[in-house]
Amino acid sequence: MEYTIAKFIHLMGILIWAGASSSLGLFMLYSMKRPTGCNQDLLRNFYRWMTNLEIAGFVLAIVMGFYMLHILKYKFDINWLNYKLPLVLGIILPLEVINFWLVNFYIPRSKEKPKAYKNYDLFTYIVALPLIAISLIVIYLAVAKP
């Protein structure tokens, strides 16, 4: 596979990750604060599947990012990449692992679902703005390549 195709698949992964997380995440935040008439259990189950789609997009982006790095023969002398990788692997990746664990293990196994949902919502509130800011910085680094 050539670099251009790998980059295209990398960008598809980013779009899946960002699209699934932002659109459904905003709806979930809204539906928890205002009555929407939606069945919350059904909605939360759908959110779980969308979170897994989001994480699959993130994994696709990471794998293709490392594949592009492989194509470049692991040249870490690219300044912008030396800023981008720690942000992605040191901040975004751990948050996505925690998100995956909360949605697929903590909440389903919880005996008190409303409390588990409340804890998850708190996690979402806390990480949403920093995650958006860091994601925008990562995108800036990839586009501007300072």
Side-chain angles (χ1 to χ4, degrees), residues 15-32 36 38 40 42-55 99 103 120-121 124:
L15 290 173
I16 292 168
W17 172 65
S21 65
S22 61
S23 59
L24 190 60
L26 289 173
F27 177 74
M28 286 300 296
L29 292 174
Y30 178 81
S31 73
M32 295 299 112
T36 59
C38 296
Q40 289 300 312
L42 184 63
L43 187 61
R44 292 285 188 165
N45 190 43
F46 178 69
Y47 184 79
R48 179 174 165 243
W49 288 106
M50 289 302 291
T51 299
N52 287 323
L53 176 64
E54 164 198 335
I55 292 169
N99 191 24
V103 168
Y120 180 72
D121 292 345
T124 303

PDB file of all heavy atoms in Angstrom, residues 15-32 36 38 40 42-55 99 103 120-121 124:
ATOM      1  N   LEU A  15     -11.944  10.816  10.801  1.00  0.00           N
ATOM      2  CA  LEU A  15     -13.316  11.289  10.592  1.00  0.00           C
ATOM      3  C   LEU A  15     -14.338  10.406  11.312  1.00  0.00           C
ATOM      4  O   LEU A  15     -15.296  10.913  11.897  1.00  0.00           O
ATOM      5  CB  LEU A  15     -13.628  11.357   9.095  1.00  0.00           C
ATOM      6  CG  LEU A  15     -12.889  12.452   8.323  1.00  0.00           C
ATOM      7  CD1 LEU A  15     -13.143  12.317   6.831  1.00  0.00           C
ATOM      8  CD2 LEU A  15     -13.278  13.825   8.818  1.00  0.00           C
ATOM      9  N   ILE A  16     -14.137   9.104  11.283  1.00  0.00           N
ATOM     10  CA  ILE A  16     -15.036   8.187  12.012  1.00  0.00           C
ATOM     11  C   ILE A  16     -14.950   8.473  13.503  1.00  0.00           C
ATOM     12  O   ILE A  16     -15.967   8.583  14.193  1.00  0.00           O
ATOM     13  CB  ILE A  16     -14.692   6.712  11.708  1.00  0.00           C
ATOM     14  CG1 ILE A  16     -15.030   6.386  10.256  1.00  0.00           C
ATOM     15  CG2 ILE A  16     -15.414   5.762  12.666  1.00  0.00           C
ATOM     16  CD1 ILE A  16     -14.473   5.051   9.781  1.00  0.00           C
ATOM     17  N   TRP A  17     -13.722   8.607  14.003  1.00  0.00           N
ATOM     18  CA  TRP A  17     -13.513   8.869  15.432  1.00  0.00           C
ATOM     19  C   TRP A  17     -14.164  10.179  15.845  1.00  0.00           C
ATOM     20  O   TRP A  17     -14.939  10.232  16.797  1.00  0.00           O
ATOM     21  CB  TRP A  17     -12.011   8.879  15.720  1.00  0.00           C
ATOM     22  CG  TRP A  17     -11.644   9.315  17.089  1.00  0.00           C
ATOM     23  CD1 TRP A  17     -11.944   8.678  18.262  1.00  0.00           C
ATOM     24  CD2 TRP A  17     -10.908  10.485  17.445  1.00  0.00           C
ATOM     25  NE1 TRP A  17     -11.434   9.388  19.327  1.00  0.00           N
ATOM     26  CE2 TRP A  17     -10.788  10.496  18.855  1.00  0.00           C
ATOM     27  CE3 TRP A  17     -10.328  11.513  16.719  1.00  0.00           C
ATOM     28  CZ2 TRP A  17     -10.121  11.499  19.528  1.00  0.00           C
ATOM     29  CZ3 TRP A  17      -9.654  12.504  17.402  1.00  0.00           C
ATOM     30  CH2 TRP A  17      -9.559  12.494  18.794  1.00  0.00           C
ATOM     31  N   ALA A  18     -13.857  11.238  15.123  1.00  0.00           N
ATOM     32  CA  ALA A  18     -14.376  12.556  15.495  1.00  0.00           C
ATOM     33  C   ALA A  18     -15.883  12.655  15.272  1.00  0.00           C
ATOM     34  O   ALA A  18     -16.604  13.214  16.101  1.00  0.00           O
ATOM     35  CB  ALA A  18     -13.657  13.641  14.699  1.00  0.00           C
ATOM     36  N   GLY A  19     -16.357  12.114  14.174  1.00  0.00           N
ATOM     37  CA  GLY A  19     -17.782  12.198  13.868  1.00  0.00           C
ATOM     38  C   GLY A  19     -18.642  11.448  14.871  1.00  0.00           C
ATOM     39  O   GLY A  19     -19.632  11.982  15.383  1.00  0.00           O
ATOM     40  N   ALA A  20     -18.265  10.220  15.166  1.00  0.00           N
ATOM     41  CA  ALA A  20     -19.051   9.414  16.105  1.00  0.00           C
ATOM     42  C   ALA A  20     -19.010  10.004  17.500  1.00  0.00           C
ATOM     43  O   ALA A  20     -20.030  10.057  18.191  1.00  0.00           O
ATOM     44  CB  ALA A  20     -18.538   7.973  16.119  1.00  0.00           C
ATOM     45  N   SER A  21     -17.853  10.459  17.919  1.00  0.00           N
ATOM     46  CA  SER A  21     -17.749  10.963  19.286  1.00  0.00           C
ATOM     47  C   SER A  21     -18.438  12.311  19.463  1.00  0.00           C
ATOM     48  O   SER A  21     -19.152  12.525  20.440  1.00  0.00           O
ATOM     49  CB  SER A  21     -16.286  11.062  19.718  1.00  0.00           C
ATOM     50  OG  SER A  21     -15.602  12.012  18.943  1.00  0.00           O
ATOM     51  N   SER A  22     -18.258  13.203  18.523  1.00  0.00           N
ATOM     52  CA  SER A  22     -18.803  14.549  18.728  1.00  0.00           C
ATOM     53  C   SER A  22     -20.306  14.608  18.535  1.00  0.00           C
ATOM     54  O   SER A  22     -21.026  15.138  19.382  1.00  0.00           O
ATOM     55  CB  SER A  22     -18.109  15.553  17.814  1.00  0.00           C
ATOM     56  OG  SER A  22     -18.311  15.209  16.461  1.00  0.00           O
ATOM     57  N   SER A  23     -20.824  14.038  17.460  1.00  0.00           N
ATOM     58  CA  SER A  23     -22.260  14.175  17.203  1.00  0.00           C
ATOM     59  C   SER A  23     -23.099  13.431  18.226  1.00  0.00           C
ATOM     60  O   SER A  23     -24.023  13.997  18.811  1.00  0.00           O
ATOM     61  CB  SER A  23     -22.600  13.706  15.790  1.00  0.00           C
ATOM     62  OG  SER A  23     -22.226  12.351  15.627  1.00  0.00           O
ATOM     63  N   LEU A  24     -22.782  12.180  18.469  1.00  0.00           N
ATOM     64  CA  LEU A  24     -23.583  11.432  19.440  1.00  0.00           C
ATOM     65  C   LEU A  24     -23.298  11.901  20.860  1.00  0.00           C
ATOM     66  O   LEU A  24     -24.201  11.941  21.691  1.00  0.00           O
ATOM     67  CB  LEU A  24     -23.339   9.934  19.310  1.00  0.00           C
ATOM     68  CG  LEU A  24     -24.299   9.077  20.114  1.00  0.00           C
ATOM     69  CD1 LEU A  24     -25.744   9.313  19.683  1.00  0.00           C
ATOM     70  CD2 LEU A  24     -23.964   7.624  19.984  1.00  0.00           C
ATOM     71  N   GLY A  25     -22.061  12.278  21.133  1.00  0.00           N
ATOM     72  CA  GLY A  25     -21.730  12.785  22.467  1.00  0.00           C
ATOM     73  C   GLY A  25     -22.528  14.027  22.811  1.00  0.00           C
ATOM     74  O   GLY A  25     -23.052  14.155  23.919  1.00  0.00           O
ATOM     75  N   LEU A  26     -22.632  14.941  21.858  1.00  0.00           N
ATOM     76  CA  LEU A  26     -23.421  16.151  22.100  1.00  0.00           C
ATOM     77  C   LEU A  26     -24.895  15.817  22.314  1.00  0.00           C
ATOM     78  O   LEU A  26     -25.551  16.382  23.191  1.00  0.00           O
ATOM     79  CB  LEU A  26     -23.274  17.122  20.926  1.00  0.00           C
ATOM     80  CG  LEU A  26     -21.916  17.800  20.792  1.00  0.00           C
ATOM     81  CD1 LEU A  26     -21.850  18.589  19.496  1.00  0.00           C
ATOM     82  CD2 LEU A  26     -21.648  18.700  21.986  1.00  0.00           C
ATOM     83  N   PHE A  27     -25.417  14.874  21.534  1.00  0.00           N
ATOM     84  CA  PHE A  27     -26.810  14.486  21.714  1.00  0.00           C
ATOM     85  C   PHE A  27     -27.031  13.849  23.081  1.00  0.00           C
ATOM     86  O   PHE A  27     -28.025  14.126  23.756  1.00  0.00           O
ATOM     87  CB  PHE A  27     -27.275  13.535  20.613  1.00  0.00           C
ATOM     88  CG  PHE A  27     -28.689  13.079  20.820  1.00  0.00           C
ATOM     89  CD1 PHE A  27     -29.741  13.939  20.589  1.00  0.00           C
ATOM     90  CD2 PHE A  27     -28.957  11.807  21.282  1.00  0.00           C
ATOM     91  CE1 PHE A  27     -31.046  13.538  20.797  1.00  0.00           C
ATOM     92  CE2 PHE A  27     -30.257  11.388  21.497  1.00  0.00           C
ATOM     93  CZ  PHE A  27     -31.308  12.261  21.243  1.00  0.00           C
ATOM     94  N   MET A  28     -26.098  13.003  23.505  1.00  0.00           N
ATOM     95  CA  MET A  28     -26.236  12.358  24.815  1.00  0.00           C
ATOM     96  C   MET A  28     -26.232  13.401  25.921  1.00  0.00           C
ATOM     97  O   MET A  28     -27.031  13.329  26.852  1.00  0.00           O
ATOM     98  CB  MET A  28     -25.125  11.342  25.049  1.00  0.00           C
ATOM     99  CG  MET A  28     -25.275  10.077  24.258  1.00  0.00           C
ATOM    100  SD  MET A  28     -26.784   9.172  24.606  1.00  0.00           S
ATOM    101  CE  MET A  28     -26.524   8.737  26.310  1.00  0.00           C
ATOM    102  N   LEU A  29     -25.326  14.363  25.839  1.00  0.00           N
ATOM    103  CA  LEU A  29     -25.284  15.413  26.851  1.00  0.00           C
ATOM    104  C   LEU A  29     -26.602  16.188  26.878  1.00  0.00           C
ATOM    105  O   LEU A  29     -27.137  16.488  27.941  1.00  0.00           O
ATOM    106  CB  LEU A  29     -24.113  16.366  26.590  1.00  0.00           C
ATOM    107  CG  LEU A  29     -22.714  15.778  26.779  1.00  0.00           C
ATOM    108  CD1 LEU A  29     -21.653  16.776  26.345  1.00  0.00           C
ATOM    109  CD2 LEU A  29     -22.494  15.335  28.205  1.00  0.00           C
ATOM    110  N   TYR A  30     -27.123  16.469  25.706  1.00  0.00           N
ATOM    111  CA  TYR A  30     -28.385  17.195  25.619  1.00  0.00           C
ATOM    112  C   TYR A  30     -29.544  16.352  26.175  1.00  0.00           C
ATOM    113  O   TYR A  30     -30.374  16.848  26.932  1.00  0.00           O
ATOM    114  CB  TYR A  30     -28.664  17.572  24.160  1.00  0.00           C
ATOM    115  CG  TYR A  30     -29.975  18.297  23.971  1.00  0.00           C
ATOM    116  CD1 TYR A  30     -30.075  19.654  24.235  1.00  0.00           C
ATOM    117  CD2 TYR A  30     -31.110  17.618  23.535  1.00  0.00           C
ATOM    118  CE1 TYR A  30     -31.271  20.326  24.072  1.00  0.00           C
ATOM    119  CE2 TYR A  30     -32.310  18.289  23.373  1.00  0.00           C
ATOM    120  CZ  TYR A  30     -32.392  19.639  23.636  1.00  0.00           C
ATOM    121  OH  TYR A  30     -33.578  20.297  23.480  1.00  0.00           O
ATOM    122  N   SER A  31     -29.590  15.093  25.803  1.00  0.00           N
ATOM    123  CA  SER A  31     -30.721  14.243  26.211  1.00  0.00           C
ATOM    124  C   SER A  31     -30.721  13.950  27.707  1.00  0.00           C
ATOM    125  O   SER A  31     -31.760  13.600  28.262  1.00  0.00           O
ATOM    126  CB  SER A  31     -30.728  12.940  25.419  1.00  0.00           C
ATOM    127  OG  SER A  31     -29.686  12.089  25.843  1.00  0.00           O
ATOM    128  N   MET A  32     -29.580  14.096  28.358  1.00  0.00           N
ATOM    129  CA  MET A  32     -29.533  13.875  29.799  1.00  0.00           C
ATOM    130  C   MET A  32     -30.057  15.095  30.563  1.00  0.00           C
ATOM    131  O   MET A  32     -30.499  14.990  31.694  1.00  0.00           O
ATOM    132  CB  MET A  32     -28.100  13.573  30.265  1.00  0.00           C
ATOM    133  CG  MET A  32     -27.524  12.285  29.733  1.00  0.00           C
ATOM    134  SD  MET A  32     -28.469  10.851  30.241  1.00  0.00           S
ATOM    135  CE  MET A  32     -29.156  10.341  28.675  1.00  0.00           C
ATOM    136  N   THR A  36     -36.257  14.261  26.073  1.00  0.00           N
ATOM    137  CA  THR A  36     -36.349  14.092  24.631  1.00  0.00           C
ATOM    138  C   THR A  36     -37.411  13.071  24.250  1.00  0.00           C
ATOM    139  O   THR A  36     -37.705  12.915  23.072  1.00  0.00           O
ATOM    140  CB  THR A  36     -34.998  13.633  24.048  1.00  0.00           C
ATOM    141  OG1 THR A  36     -34.633  12.397  24.660  1.00  0.00           O
ATOM    142  CG2 THR A  36     -33.924  14.671  24.251  1.00  0.00           C
ATOM    143  N   CYS A  38     -36.928   9.977  24.553  1.00  0.00           N
ATOM    144  CA  CYS A  38     -36.207   8.763  24.154  1.00  0.00           C
ATOM    145  C   CYS A  38     -36.117   7.795  25.325  1.00  0.00           C
ATOM    146  O   CYS A  38     -35.978   8.204  26.473  1.00  0.00           O
ATOM    147  CB  CYS A  38     -34.791   9.106  23.707  1.00  0.00           C
ATOM    148  SG  CYS A  38     -34.698  10.142  22.246  1.00  0.00           S
ATOM    149  N   GLN A  40     -34.107   5.929  27.587  1.00  0.00           N
ATOM    150  CA  GLN A  40     -32.704   6.133  27.974  1.00  0.00           C
ATOM    151  C   GLN A  40     -31.877   4.843  27.895  1.00  0.00           C
ATOM    152  O   GLN A  40     -30.724   4.895  27.501  1.00  0.00           O
ATOM    153  CB  GLN A  40     -32.625   6.736  29.373  1.00  0.00           C
ATOM    154  CG  GLN A  40     -33.081   8.178  29.438  1.00  0.00           C
ATOM    155  CD  GLN A  40     -32.237   9.083  28.553  1.00  0.00           C
ATOM    156  OE1 GLN A  40     -31.016   9.043  28.580  1.00  0.00           O
ATOM    157  NE2 GLN A  40     -32.893   9.914  27.766  1.00  0.00           N
ATOM    158  N   LEU A  42     -32.346   2.283  25.837  1.00  0.00           N
ATOM    159  CA  LEU A  42     -32.119   2.036  24.414  1.00  0.00           C
ATOM    160  C   LEU A  42     -31.087   3.018  23.861  1.00  0.00           C
ATOM    161  O   LEU A  42     -30.184   2.639  23.116  1.00  0.00           O
ATOM    162  CB  LEU A  42     -33.441   2.152  23.652  1.00  0.00           C
ATOM    163  CG  LEU A  42     -33.406   1.840  22.170  1.00  0.00           C
ATOM    164  CD1 LEU A  42     -33.008   0.389  21.931  1.00  0.00           C
ATOM    165  CD2 LEU A  42     -34.773   2.113  21.563  1.00  0.00           C
ATOM    166  N   LEU A  43     -31.212   4.261  24.248  1.00  0.00           N
ATOM    167  CA  LEU A  43     -30.285   5.293  23.798  1.00  0.00           C
ATOM    168  C   LEU A  43     -28.866   5.007  24.295  1.00  0.00           C
ATOM    169  O   LEU A  43     -27.901   5.124  23.542  1.00  0.00           O
ATOM    170  CB  LEU A  43     -30.754   6.661  24.287  1.00  0.00           C
ATOM    171  CG  LEU A  43     -30.009   7.873  23.783  1.00  0.00           C
ATOM    172  CD1 LEU A  43     -30.100   7.981  22.269  1.00  0.00           C
ATOM    173  CD2 LEU A  43     -30.561   9.133  24.432  1.00  0.00           C
ATOM    174  N   ARG A  44     -28.749   4.614  25.539  1.00  0.00           N
ATOM    175  CA  ARG A  44     -27.418   4.298  26.101  1.00  0.00           C
ATOM    176  C   ARG A  44     -26.804   3.085  25.412  1.00  0.00           C
ATOM    177  O   ARG A  44     -25.593   3.030  25.198  1.00  0.00           O
ATOM    178  CB  ARG A  44     -27.514   4.054  27.605  1.00  0.00           C
ATOM    179  CG  ARG A  44     -27.851   5.279  28.416  1.00  0.00           C
ATOM    180  CD  ARG A  44     -26.676   6.199  28.543  1.00  0.00           C
ATOM    181  NE  ARG A  44     -26.960   7.278  29.478  1.00  0.00           N
ATOM    182  CZ  ARG A  44     -26.041   8.039  29.994  1.00  0.00           C
ATOM    183  NH1 ARG A  44     -24.786   7.887  29.701  1.00  0.00           N
ATOM    184  NH2 ARG A  44     -26.376   9.001  30.827  1.00  0.00           N
ATOM    185  N   ASN A  45     -27.612   2.105  25.072  1.00  0.00           N
ATOM    186  CA  ASN A  45     -27.104   0.930  24.368  1.00  0.00           C
ATOM    187  C   ASN A  45     -26.605   1.324  22.979  1.00  0.00           C
ATOM    188  O   ASN A  45     -25.542   0.866  22.543  1.00  0.00           O
ATOM    189  CB  ASN A  45     -28.176  -0.153  24.264  1.00  0.00           C
ATOM    190  CG  ASN A  45     -27.603  -1.448  23.759  1.00  0.00           C
ATOM    191  OD1 ASN A  45     -26.525  -1.870  24.168  1.00  0.00           O
ATOM    192  ND2 ASN A  45     -28.316  -2.084  22.857  1.00  0.00           N
ATOM    193  N   PHE A  46     -27.354   2.178  22.293  1.00  0.00           N
ATOM    194  CA  PHE A  46     -26.910   2.669  20.985  1.00  0.00           C
ATOM    195  C   PHE A  46     -25.616   3.470  21.141  1.00  0.00           C
ATOM    196  O   PHE A  46     -24.693   3.342  20.328  1.00  0.00           O
ATOM    197  CB  PHE A  46     -28.001   3.523  20.344  1.00  0.00           C
ATOM    198  CG  PHE A  46     -27.605   4.092  19.015  1.00  0.00           C
ATOM    199  CD1 PHE A  46     -27.439   3.270  17.911  1.00  0.00           C
ATOM    200  CD2 PHE A  46     -27.384   5.457  18.867  1.00  0.00           C
ATOM    201  CE1 PHE A  46     -27.077   3.789  16.681  1.00  0.00           C
ATOM    202  CE2 PHE A  46     -27.011   5.982  17.642  1.00  0.00           C
ATOM    203  CZ  PHE A  46     -26.865   5.148  16.543  1.00  0.00           C
ATOM    204  N   TYR A  47     -25.535   4.266  22.195  1.00  0.00           N
ATOM    205  CA  TYR A  47     -24.331   5.047  22.457  1.00  0.00           C
ATOM    206  C   TYR A  47     -23.123   4.128  22.646  1.00  0.00           C
ATOM    207  O   TYR A  47     -22.023   4.426  22.187  1.00  0.00           O
ATOM    208  CB  TYR A  47     -24.536   5.929  23.697  1.00  0.00           C
ATOM    209  CG  TYR A  47     -23.370   6.829  23.979  1.00  0.00           C
ATOM    210  CD1 TYR A  47     -23.185   7.999  23.258  1.00  0.00           C
ATOM    211  CD2 TYR A  47     -22.439   6.520  24.969  1.00  0.00           C
ATOM    212  CE1 TYR A  47     -22.116   8.834  23.500  1.00  0.00           C
ATOM    213  CE2 TYR A  47     -21.367   7.345  25.215  1.00  0.00           C
ATOM    214  CZ  TYR A  47     -21.210   8.502  24.490  1.00  0.00           C
ATOM    215  OH  TYR A  47     -20.138   9.313  24.718  1.00  0.00           O
ATOM    216  N   ARG A  48     -23.355   3.008  23.297  1.00  0.00           N
ATOM    217  CA  ARG A  48     -22.264   2.034  23.495  1.00  0.00           C
ATOM    218  C   ARG A  48     -21.728   1.548  22.152  1.00  0.00           C
ATOM    219  O   ARG A  48     -20.520   1.487  21.938  1.00  0.00           O
ATOM    220  CB  ARG A  48     -22.775   0.862  24.328  1.00  0.00           C
ATOM    221  CG  ARG A  48     -21.749  -0.195  24.567  1.00  0.00           C
ATOM    222  CD  ARG A  48     -22.303  -1.257  25.521  1.00  0.00           C
ATOM    223  NE  ARG A  48     -21.465  -2.410  25.458  1.00  0.00           N
ATOM    224  CZ  ARG A  48     -21.860  -3.598  25.046  1.00  0.00           C
ATOM    225  NH1 ARG A  48     -23.113  -3.799  24.703  1.00  0.00           N
ATOM    226  NH2 ARG A  48     -21.027  -4.591  24.992  1.00  0.00           N
ATOM    227  N   TRP A  49     -22.615   1.230  21.229  1.00  0.00           N
ATOM    228  CA  TRP A  49     -22.181   0.773  19.907  1.00  0.00           C
ATOM    229  C   TRP A  49     -21.477   1.896  19.149  1.00  0.00           C
ATOM    230  O   TRP A  49     -20.477   1.650  18.470  1.00  0.00           O
ATOM    231  CB  TRP A  49     -23.361   0.220  19.105  1.00  0.00           C
ATOM    232  CG  TRP A  49     -23.796  -1.104  19.648  1.00  0.00           C
ATOM    233  CD1 TRP A  49     -24.905  -1.371  20.386  1.00  0.00           C
ATOM    234  CD2 TRP A  49     -23.074  -2.334  19.563  1.00  0.00           C
ATOM    235  NE1 TRP A  49     -24.938  -2.704  20.757  1.00  0.00           N
ATOM    236  CE2 TRP A  49     -23.817  -3.318  20.256  1.00  0.00           C
ATOM    237  CE3 TRP A  49     -21.869  -2.714  18.968  1.00  0.00           C
ATOM    238  CZ2 TRP A  49     -23.403  -4.639  20.361  1.00  0.00           C
ATOM    239  CZ3 TRP A  49     -21.461  -4.035  19.079  1.00  0.00           C
ATOM    240  CH2 TRP A  49     -22.225  -4.976  19.771  1.00  0.00           C
ATOM    241  N   MET A  50     -21.970   3.096  19.268  1.00  0.00           N
ATOM    242  CA  MET A  50     -21.327   4.229  18.599  1.00  0.00           C
ATOM    243  C   MET A  50     -19.962   4.535  19.217  1.00  0.00           C
ATOM    244  O   MET A  50     -19.039   4.922  18.511  1.00  0.00           O
ATOM    245  CB  MET A  50     -22.224   5.472  18.651  1.00  0.00           C
ATOM    246  CG  MET A  50     -23.446   5.375  17.764  1.00  0.00           C
ATOM    247  SD  MET A  50     -23.059   5.106  16.021  1.00  0.00           S
ATOM    248  CE  MET A  50     -22.330   6.666  15.597  1.00  0.00           C
ATOM    249  N   THR A  51     -19.841   4.338  20.519  1.00  0.00           N
ATOM    250  CA  THR A  51     -18.543   4.526  21.164  1.00  0.00           C
ATOM    251  C   THR A  51     -17.545   3.504  20.639  1.00  0.00           C
ATOM    252  O   THR A  51     -16.385   3.823  20.396  1.00  0.00           O
ATOM    253  CB  THR A  51     -18.673   4.418  22.698  1.00  0.00           C
ATOM    254  OG1 THR A  51     -19.551   5.447  23.145  1.00  0.00           O
ATOM    255  CG2 THR A  51     -17.326   4.579  23.385  1.00  0.00           C
ATOM    256  N   ASN A  52     -18.001   2.287  20.428  1.00  0.00           N
ATOM    257  CA  ASN A  52     -17.115   1.271  19.866  1.00  0.00           C
ATOM    258  C   ASN A  52     -16.737   1.598  18.425  1.00  0.00           C
ATOM    259  O   ASN A  52     -15.600   1.346  18.008  1.00  0.00           O
ATOM    260  CB  ASN A  52     -17.746  -0.110  19.986  1.00  0.00           C
ATOM    261  CG  ASN A  52     -17.720  -0.603  21.419  1.00  0.00           C
ATOM    262  OD1 ASN A  52     -16.760  -0.366  22.138  1.00  0.00           O
ATOM    263  ND2 ASN A  52     -18.778  -1.258  21.848  1.00  0.00           N
ATOM    264  N   LEU A  53     -17.669   2.183  17.663  1.00  0.00           N
ATOM    265  CA  LEU A  53     -17.338   2.638  16.309  1.00  0.00           C
ATOM    266  C   LEU A  53     -16.307   3.763  16.382  1.00  0.00           C
ATOM    267  O   LEU A  53     -15.341   3.778  15.610  1.00  0.00           O
ATOM    268  CB  LEU A  53     -18.602   3.121  15.589  1.00  0.00           C
ATOM    269  CG  LEU A  53     -18.388   3.724  14.204  1.00  0.00           C
ATOM    270  CD1 LEU A  53     -17.844   2.677  13.241  1.00  0.00           C
ATOM    271  CD2 LEU A  53     -19.686   4.318  13.685  1.00  0.00           C
ATOM    272  N   GLU A  54     -16.502   4.677  17.313  1.00  0.00           N
ATOM    273  CA  GLU A  54     -15.548   5.773  17.524  1.00  0.00           C
ATOM    274  C   GLU A  54     -14.162   5.222  17.824  1.00  0.00           C
ATOM    275  O   GLU A  54     -13.165   5.653  17.242  1.00  0.00           O
ATOM    276  CB  GLU A  54     -16.035   6.630  18.691  1.00  0.00           C
ATOM    277  CG  GLU A  54     -15.016   7.558  19.287  1.00  0.00           C
ATOM    278  CD  GLU A  54     -15.412   8.042  20.668  1.00  0.00           C
ATOM    279  OE1 GLU A  54     -16.612   8.074  20.999  1.00  0.00           O
ATOM    280  OE2 GLU A  54     -14.495   8.403  21.422  1.00  0.00           O
ATOM    281  N   ILE A  55     -14.087   4.260  18.708  1.00  0.00           N
ATOM    282  CA  ILE A  55     -12.794   3.694  19.099  1.00  0.00           C
ATOM    283  C   ILE A  55     -12.184   2.908  17.946  1.00  0.00           C
ATOM    284  O   ILE A  55     -10.964   2.952  17.745  1.00  0.00           O
ATOM    285  CB  ILE A  55     -12.943   2.867  20.389  1.00  0.00           C
ATOM    286  CG1 ILE A  55     -13.262   3.832  21.545  1.00  0.00           C
ATOM    287  CG2 ILE A  55     -11.696   2.040  20.671  1.00  0.00           C
ATOM    288  CD1 ILE A  55     -13.702   3.185  22.818  1.00  0.00           C
ATOM    289  N   ASN A  99     -12.442   5.367  28.208  1.00  0.00           N
ATOM    290  CA  ASN A  99     -13.772   5.438  27.618  1.00  0.00           C
ATOM    291  C   ASN A  99     -14.262   4.038  27.236  1.00  0.00           C
ATOM    292  O   ASN A  99     -15.396   3.659  27.531  1.00  0.00           O
ATOM    293  CB  ASN A  99     -13.739   6.356  26.401  1.00  0.00           C
ATOM    294  CG  ASN A  99     -15.099   6.700  25.870  1.00  0.00           C
ATOM    295  OD1 ASN A  99     -16.095   6.665  26.579  1.00  0.00           O
ATOM    296  ND2 ASN A  99     -15.145   7.044  24.601  1.00  0.00           N
ATOM    297  N   VAL A 103     -17.510   2.160  29.020  1.00  0.00           N
ATOM    298  CA  VAL A 103     -18.699   1.832  28.227  1.00  0.00           C
ATOM    299  C   VAL A 103     -18.908   0.325  28.087  1.00  0.00           C
ATOM    300  O   VAL A 103     -20.041  -0.145  28.082  1.00  0.00           O
ATOM    301  CB  VAL A 103     -18.599   2.511  26.841  1.00  0.00           C
ATOM    302  CG1 VAL A 103     -19.628   1.976  25.879  1.00  0.00           C
ATOM    303  CG2 VAL A 103     -18.746   4.008  27.002  1.00  0.00           C
ATOM    304  N   TYR A 120     -20.122   8.098  34.283  1.00  0.00           N
ATOM    305  CA  TYR A 120     -19.644   8.189  32.909  1.00  0.00           C
ATOM    306  C   TYR A 120     -19.889   9.581  32.343  1.00  0.00           C
ATOM    307  O   TYR A 120     -19.024  10.148  31.667  1.00  0.00           O
ATOM    308  CB  TYR A 120     -20.311   7.135  32.021  1.00  0.00           C
ATOM    309  CG  TYR A 120     -19.829   7.209  30.596  1.00  0.00           C
ATOM    310  CD1 TYR A 120     -18.545   6.792  30.263  1.00  0.00           C
ATOM    311  CD2 TYR A 120     -20.630   7.732  29.593  1.00  0.00           C
ATOM    312  CE1 TYR A 120     -18.080   6.886  28.957  1.00  0.00           C
ATOM    313  CE2 TYR A 120     -20.174   7.820  28.293  1.00  0.00           C
ATOM    314  CZ  TYR A 120     -18.901   7.396  27.981  1.00  0.00           C
ATOM    315  OH  TYR A 120     -18.440   7.496  26.695  1.00  0.00           O
ATOM    316  N   ASP A 121     -21.068  10.131  32.626  1.00  0.00           N
ATOM    317  CA  ASP A 121     -21.368  11.485  32.162  1.00  0.00           C
ATOM    318  C   ASP A 121     -20.385  12.494  32.753  1.00  0.00           C
ATOM    319  O   ASP A 121     -19.940  13.410  32.064  1.00  0.00           O
ATOM    320  CB  ASP A 121     -22.804  11.869  32.508  1.00  0.00           C
ATOM    321  CG  ASP A 121     -23.827  11.070  31.718  1.00  0.00           C
ATOM    322  OD1 ASP A 121     -23.459  10.432  30.712  1.00  0.00           O
ATOM    323  OD2 ASP A 121     -25.003  11.073  32.130  1.00  0.00           O
ATOM    324  N   THR A 124     -17.233  12.264  30.877  1.00  0.00           N
ATOM    325  CA  THR A 124     -17.405  12.927  29.581  1.00  0.00           C
ATOM    326  C   THR A 124     -17.304  14.438  29.719  1.00  0.00           C
ATOM    327  O   THR A 124     -16.642  15.103  28.917  1.00  0.00           O
ATOM    328  CB  THR A 124     -18.754  12.529  28.957  1.00  0.00           C
ATOM    329  OG1 THR A 124     -18.808  11.111  28.845  1.00  0.00           O
ATOM    330  CG2 THR A 124     -18.921  13.129  27.576  1.00  0.00           C
TER     331      THR A 124
END
